[in-house]
Each structure stands twice: as C-alpha cells, then as structure tokens.
Amino acid sequence: MVVLHAAEPARIVVDVDKPGHAVPATLYGIFFEEINHAGEGGLYAEMVLNRDFEMTTLPKGAKWAGNLLRTADDWQERKWFGNELWGWQFIADGGARGSIRLDDREPLNGRNPHSLRLTVREPGTLAGVANGGFWGMNFVAGRWYDLTFQARTGGADRLDITVALESANGRERYANAVVRDVGGAWKEYHVSLQAKAGDRCGRLALTVNRAGTVWFDVVSLFPRDMFLNRPNGLRPDIAQALADLKPAFVRFPGGAIAGGLNLDNRIQWKNSVGPIAQRKGTMNLWGYWTSNGLGFHEYLQFCEDIGAAALWVCNPGFSDNYRHAEFAPADQVKDFVQEALDALEYALGPADSKWGAQRVANGHPAPFPLRYVEIGNEASSKVYGTNYVQFAEAIHAKYPSLTLISNQRLKDVPVAMVDDHKYGNPASFFSAHDRYDNADRTGPKIYVGEYACSREVGEGNLTAALAEAAYLLGLERNSDVVVMSSYAPLLCHENDVAWMSNMLRFDNTRVVRRSSYHVQRMLAANRPDVVLPTRVEPDAAPKDCALFALAGLDQKSNEIVLKIVNRSNALRTVAIQLDGCRSLAKNARVITLHHDDPTAENSLGDPEVIVPHDTSVAISGSEFQHPLPANSLTVLRIFQKDR
Ligand code: AHR
C-alpha cells in the first residue's frame, strides 16, 4: 500500500532492480462525446448555427412538451432552441420589408427536408438573413473564410446575393462579395472572403438586391485555417490541445449518445459521411441539434492525424438504459449488427467492398486505424448479453484482430475487455487508488472508459486533478490488468455547460486546459515501460492518506520515473530511496503541478493558474531528500548512467 498519514515523516522506497510488469502503450487515451457543444460549435470548425434548418426535427415518436422534448418512453430532455429558425434572423434597412420562414416544399434532398425561404417585398437599402453562429462568429483580421450555400428560386427568377462577414449589429463590414444570378433549381454556390478586421462576435449576412423569393439550405462557413488543413475540418486550437496529449486512442462517439434517447435517435454513422449537404443531422441526446458534419469519417481521420487508434462505440440494439431504453425486437438485432459491420467495412474494408469504396470516394483510400469496438455504453440490461454475443460473433468472424469491449462481465461468455466507469468526489477517488490491486488477473482486461472527479470540486479544481492522479497511479500500478483509460467528458463550450467537470473548456476564441488535463498529459508523457515496486513508509490505510507514489523504468532512456501525489496542504520533504539502482546522474528532471490553494482552477479568464513547471534538481545519490510542494503532482526522471 503506497500511502501515508499527513503528519508522519515519509520515505519512498523503490526496488529499481526488481522490474515488474510492462505498462501498456494503450493506457492513456481520450473520450469524445457530443455533449456541452463539444463538437457542434466547438471542435468542429463550422461557424453557422442551424446550417441545415432541421433543428425542429424530433426523434421518431417524441413530442415537444413546452420547453421539453418527451420520448414515447417518457424521458424528457431540454429543448435547446427558441424558435424554428433558431440562429437566423431577417435583417432589413432603409424601409425594406419581407420575412423568413421554414419551408418543406421542394426540399434539397430527403435528408434535408427543410429550407429557409426568404421573401423580400421591398428591398429598401438592405434585406436578407443573418446568422450569428454559436454565440457569435470569430473573425480574425487577414484570415480567409469559405462559404458554401445551396439556393434555389421559384422558377427562372434570378437574384444577386451579397454575402458579408460583419459585426453583430451589421454596422461594420469586414468582407463582402456578390454572388450573381442565383436562381433556378437547387445549386451549390461557393465564395471565399477575407476579413479585413477582427471581431470575436460577428455574423454572416446574405442579402438580396431586389424584391423576390429565394430558398437557402446547408449554409456553411468555415475558417480556411483548420487543423492540418483538412476540409470540413476542426478548430486548430482545440484539436491541437487534444493532439498534445498524444492519446493512444480516441473513443467516439460516446457515451450515452451511442444509445440515443430512443433507437431512432441513436448515432447512425451512415448519416454522418459524404458531402455535408447529404448528411442528416440529429437532435442529440444532450438536447441540441447536431449537423453530423463531424461524423464517422472525420473522427477516424482525426485519430489517424494524431497517431491514435480509433475506439468506436456501436449501438447494441437498444437505446440508452438510463433514458428508458427502447429495445429492438430480437429478430431485428441482426440489422444493428449489420449496421456495425458496415461501419467497420467503411473504416477497414478493401476499396472494392461496398463501404470501403465509399471511404475511397470520400478521399481516404487506405483503411483507418480502427482497433477497438465497444458494443454499447453503460448497458446493464439482461438483453445485453444476448445481443453482445450476436455482435461479437459477427464482428470477430470478419475482423478477428479487433479488440471487442463489453459493458459488463458476462456469465459463460468470454469477454476480452470490460469497460468500468467512475465518477465521484475526491474522497472516493483517493480511496479508489487501490481499487484494482486485487482485481481478477484471469478475467477480462479492464478499460476505465469514463472517469472524472466531478463532485464537490467546483468546475474541476486542483483537488479533483490530484484525486484523479492518485487514482491513475493505481491504474498504472495495475496496468497488467487495467490496460486503457479515458477521462470524460472531454470538451465543454462555456455557454453550454451540461456536465460540470470537463477536461477542456472553450469559447469562440479561447481554450483552457484544466488541471485534470495537465495531470493526464504529465502521466501519459511519463508512462514508463515497466513498473517498479514502490512503497511509502510508514504504510497506512488509504483513508486520510497524504502521499501516493509509483515508480517505473523508461527502458529506452534509462530513466527511473517516479510520480508522487502530495494531497496535503503543506510542503512535505520526503526521503527517496532507490534500492538496487546503478550509478545515477547528478541532476534529475522534475516536473511539478501544484498550487497553494487546492480549490484553485484554471478558467478562460485565467487559464494558467495551475500549469506544470519543468526544472532540474541536484541529487546526492541513491538516497536523497526531495521537497514536495503542498497540493502537488511531481514527476522525477532520474537517469541511470550505466544501464
Ligand atoms: O460523460 C458523460 C456521460 O456520463 C456519458 O455519456 C455516459 O456514458 C456517462 O454516464
């Protein structure tokens, strides 16, 4: 037991000459779910809110009940929008008259049955529509923005449309261009605009030059500057923050969202590939419209781009348990299995397979790095086992090298890996640092697919991060059985905090890395190749303990890597004893994350209250004293000269 009561002097003893099990390279990954506008208005760089005008589309069988959406199984979710053209407004000046409305006549296609109809009776000096984006559009002076929109008129009628990037009230114009002769049947138009000035809260305007009627659909504006310049791409600052974690894997699309509010509302990957005008959006389980522009292909591309394996969660033939699951009849589960097989063929299949050919057509000839499939999320029902077997047999038959992950341990069914989730307060995390010490080594491997210290910790303070660090040291110590982990949720827009603690928070211009982010980055970057037996003396029970420590060996660099959490509110000087080590370098590298106030938090306004500091300290030999700041995570990297 590697713990110590706060008042006692401490010694950390490492048996350097008794290396234990290997620490898998898969241990630290990330979990993405469309929650808190993580993707829509966040990671996904689309700037137009409600670009497809489908926001009022309900999951099958659901109804609006005042400000709520109610499913047939009586689950209620918030209704996030205020009117049927949410995000859009009619704009007029100089005596212009006209209106906008949602229209379902002559739709663009079956997946986009609604469009916006703009009728201008009197053009005045300006008449048209504007979209303010997700809490304002961020324009940066000198940068380019690429606009595409679909438009039609009632017949042969043609209009000129002026498109502009402007201030929220329209008084300042940063860029504009005229698209001439818009009209006739549905057609896609493209315009590029360079902002001559910056505005963090601007809007897009489309105005007409005379009286008439025009229909718009899939109006899309992307900054030219996106992560790795991928089209239909990602906001570079958020994507880079994720890439900086160097995650071994990315789990997507969730979370509860994989199940959905009901079966119709589950994530349906086929709606999320191909040209954006052909995609079908979803009123997602977290109560807001998702265009599915950030879809199956983009998730896989992101994994590949950041060198991570993809972990895809499929629907198991029923919707989310917690939200009064709707079950597919037993004879229809095969359709859900086929849906999963088709997804895998898209990701991994040869170019001459049906779905592999689609991947090629969408610009990716080679297979994607999809390595894991989790069948469902947090499913606890009895049906799960029966469905799991159907999915597992079919997937294994075609893709024997994939690792399948189960939500439960199943009686009489061999399972390679199970997903354990943990949310709680700091006390529960500190005491769970030994949770896997006695885990069954003969059973399935464990993936801690969601964890976060999210209770009694403000919006995610230093105490939360240290509690997670102590817990993660426990996972690493047991990484012969716990082979993967991912914090959840990952991302949160400042204006839609559906879940309090999240790893990164952002608004339209800024991203803040919470202290939990720094903990994961430090632990992942300092993942050793093998663990070393580590004990804190004197020993104590987990409850009320102050120190948690774990050492390992980085065999490539020949370094002893020692990680220590000091959760007490006081500086602690500890004796570090490295038994059986070779000759050591005179200096060790020390990376420390700490703050005197354990309730301190990073925020958008003050993003660097808690950041790691990298220094070096002199060490006197295999036994030395080291001061651990109050409320800290410390990583010591000590080079062994002759091994
Ligand atoms: O991480 C947020 C939610 O918490 C996930 O969607 C769900 O799996 C869990 O209950």
Side-chain angles (χ1 to χ4, degrees):
M1 193 82 58
V2 284
V3 290
L4 185 83
H5 286 288
E8 295 163 342
R11 169 171 296 266
I12 295 169
V13 183
V14 181
D15 294 330
V16 182
D17 54 350
K18 294 187 184 125
H21 61 79
V23 180
T26 51
L27 190 57
Y28 297 103
I30 58 175
F31 162 106
F32 178 88
E33 177 162 29
E34 184 60 82
I35 177 174
N36 312 305
H37 279 82
E40 205 75 13
L43 180 62
Y44 184 45
E46 173 63 78
M47 298 172 79
V48 176
L49 169 64
N50 194 13
R51 73 178 179 196
D52 55 10
F53 308 106
E54 303 298 340
M55 202 175 256
T56 52
T57 311
L58 279 161
K60 214 191 250 163
K63 294 191 178 96
W64 297 120
N67 278 333
L68 296 169
L69 177 161
R70 186 170 294 148
T71 65
D73 294 312
D74 218 22
W75 175 263
Q76 297 188 150
E77 190 50 68
R78 68 183 172 156
K79 175 182 169 189
W80 185 73
F81 58 91
N83 63 50
E84 61 180 16
L85 280 173
W86 194 240
W88 294 92
Q89 66 177 118
F90 179 70
I91 53 173
D93 207 356
R97 284 187 308 118
S99 60
I100 54 173
R101 58 172 288 186
L102 193 66
D103 203 343
D104 59 5
R105 282 173 299 167
E106 294 183 47
L108 176 66
N109 55 50
R111 292 174 156 211
N112 284 285
H114 297 97
S115 57
L116 177 148
R117 188 181 81 180
L118 165 68
T119 304
V120 174
R121 282 180 288 283
E122 175 56 58
T125 52
L126 178 136
V129 285
N131 186 291
F134 298 86
W135 303 284
M137 292 182 179
N138 179 33
F139 302 130
V140 180
R143 298 252 172 101
W144 283 91
Y145 296 85
D146 295 311
L147 174 71
T148 56
F149 62 90
Q150 311 279 337
R152 73 170 177 92
T153 53
D157 194 20
R158 297 201 169 253
L159 305 111
D160 292 347
I161 295 186
T162 298
V163 296
L165 309 183
E166 54 188 41
S167 58
N169 59 14
R171 286 198 196 111
E172 305 288 330
R173 260 202 180 174
Y174 313 120
N176 63 286
V178 179
V179 187
R180 303 218 177 268
D181 286 332
V182 173
W186 282 113
K187 189 177 159 192
E188 185 168 303
Y189 298 86
H190 299 255
V191 196
S192 293
L193 298 155
Q194 186 180 26
K196 63 173 189 251
D199 188 332
R200 293 170 170 214
C201 206
R203 74 180 188 186
L204 167 73
L206 297 99
T207 53
V208 296
N209 61 332
R210 60 175 179 74
T213 300
V214 58
W215 283 258
F216 292 107
D217 208 345
V218 193
V219 181
S220 166
L221 182 70
F222 279 95
R224 178 85 46 94
D225 178 23
M226 290 193 280
F227 187 61
L228 301 181
N229 298 321
R230 295 263 175 229
N232 190 40
L234 307 180
R235 220 178 99 170
D237 53 348
I238 302 178
Q240 190 56 53
L242 299 178
D244 288 347
L245 284 168
K246 299 194 172 61
F249 63 91
V250 179
R251 169 181 172 158
F252 64 88
I257 207 166
L261 293 168
N262 60 23
L263 279 174
D264 177 57
N265 187 246
R266 74 192 186 280
I267 294 277
Q268 299 185 46
W269 75 271
K270 289 177 192 170
N271 291 336
S272 74
V273 290
I276 60 169
Q278 299 295 332
R279 297 193 189 191
K280 187 174 174 192
T282 324
M283 176 54 69
N284 87 30
L285 170 135
W286 299 105
Y288 58 93
W289 186 253
T290 307
S291 66
N292 281 330
L294 173 55
F296 192 58
H297 188 101
E298 289 74 23
Y299 290 130
L300 291 165
Q301 184 65 66
F302 182 55
C303 292
E304 183 178 89
D305 284 343
I306 64 171
L311 188 167
W312 178 59
V313 181
C314 70
N315 181 285
F318 51 90
S319 63
D320 187 56
N321 272 313
Y322 182 67
R323 291 160 179 86
H324 311 171
E326 178 194 4
F327 293 88
D331 63 344
Q332 285 172 28
V333 172
K334 62 177 180 343
D335 302 337
F336 292 79
V337 173
Q338 191 57 50
E339 184 172 292
L341 290 174
D342 291 347
L344 298 177
E345 187 173 286
Y346 184 94
L348 301 168
D352 60 359
S353 61
K354 177 176 171 197
W355 291 105
Q358 283 296 311
R359 181 191 70 237
V360 178
N362 292 335
H364 200 281
F368 280 115
L370 194 152
R371 309 265 180 271
Y372 305 91
V373 179
E374 179 154 356
I375 297 162
N377 174 67
E378 290 186 349
S380 56
S381 69
K382 284 199 187 131
V383 178
Y384 182 76
T386 319
N387 288 14
Y388 177 90
V389 171
Q390 276 196 59
F391 275 83
E393 284 179 359
I395 295 173
H396 261 149
K398 278 200 128 176
Y399 303 97
S401 65
L402 287 176
T403 299
L404 301 187
I405 304 169
S406 170
N407 299 167
Q408 308 169 8
R409 285 159 185 82
L410 297 169
K411 202 162 168 274
D412 303 329
V413 178
V415 163
M417 202 183 285
V418 283
D419 181 1
D420 268 2
H421 292 180
K422 170 154 180 61
Y423 294 100
N425 64 10
S428 79
F429 268 81
F430 284 118
S431 25
H433 82 102
D434 62 355
R435 175 170 172 165
Y436 295 103
D437 286 0
N438 299 313
D440 177 7
R441 263 53 185 180
T442 61
K445 299 287 186 204
I446 296 166
Y447 161 42
V448 178
E450 295 182 28
Y451 71 86
C453 180
S454 50
R455 296 188 191 129
E456 304 160 23
V457 290
E459 295 183 355
N461 60 25
L462 180 59
T463 297
L466 296 179
E468 287 154 6
Y471 176 69
L472 288 168
L473 292 189
L475 301 196
E476 196 168 300
R477 188 175 59 246
N478 290 290
S479 58
D480 55 326
V481 60
V482 184
V483 295
M484 297 166 79
S485 68
S486 45
Y487 178 101
L490 187 63
L491 300 172
C492 176
H493 194 297
E494 179 76 345
N495 291 318
D496 182 20
V497 188
W499 196 275
M500 196 45 103
S501 292
N502 303 279
M503 206 164 72
L504 293 167
R505 213 181 238 214
F506 58 87
D507 62 11
N508 285 357
T509 59
R510 302 169 294 178
V511 188
V512 58
R513 300 168 188 217
R514 316 301 298 254
S515 40
S516 292
Y517 172 97
H518 292 302
V519 161
Q520 284 166 67
R521 193 170 173 191
M522 282 169 70
L523 295 188
N526 293 286
R527 177 184 55 77
D529 298 309
V530 291
V531 294
L532 294 173
T534 310
R535 58 192 187 278
V536 177
E537 294 177 349
D539 196 0
K543 202 168 152 293
D544 301 327
C545 61
L547 297 179
F548 302 81
L550 182 70
L553 212 51
D554 185 327
Q555 291 164 324
K556 292 173 290 297
S557 65
N558 234 340
E559 285 167 297
I560 299 163
V561 184
L562 174 59
K563 291 170 275 203
I564 313 164
V565 174
N566 174 17
R567 71 179 284 202
S568 70
N569 225 337
L571 180 138
R572 306 282 303 254
T573 296
V574 291
I576 294 174
Q577 180 182 323
L578 304 173
D579 287 347
C581 66
R582 305 288 171 91
S583 156
L584 299 175
K586 289 204 169 61
N587 292 300
R589 185 173 163 209
V590 188
I591 309 146
T592 315
L593 186 76
H594 90 104
H595 197 280
D596 288 342
D597 177 3
T599 66
E601 292 184 22
N602 291 340
S603 62
L604 283 170
D606 209 347
E608 304 211 331
V609 175
I610 307 156
V611 287
H613 290 101
D614 204 329
T615 52
S616 89
V617 288
I619 53 169
S620 49
S622 62
E623 202 173 328
F624 59 95
Q625 305 270 315
H626 186 76
L628 301 169
N631 316 308
S632 63
L633 167 65
T634 299
V635 179
L636 281 156
R637 297 191 67 104
I638 307 157
F639 178 61
Q640 299 191 96
K641 284 185 190 157
D642 56 354
R643 186 148 73 176

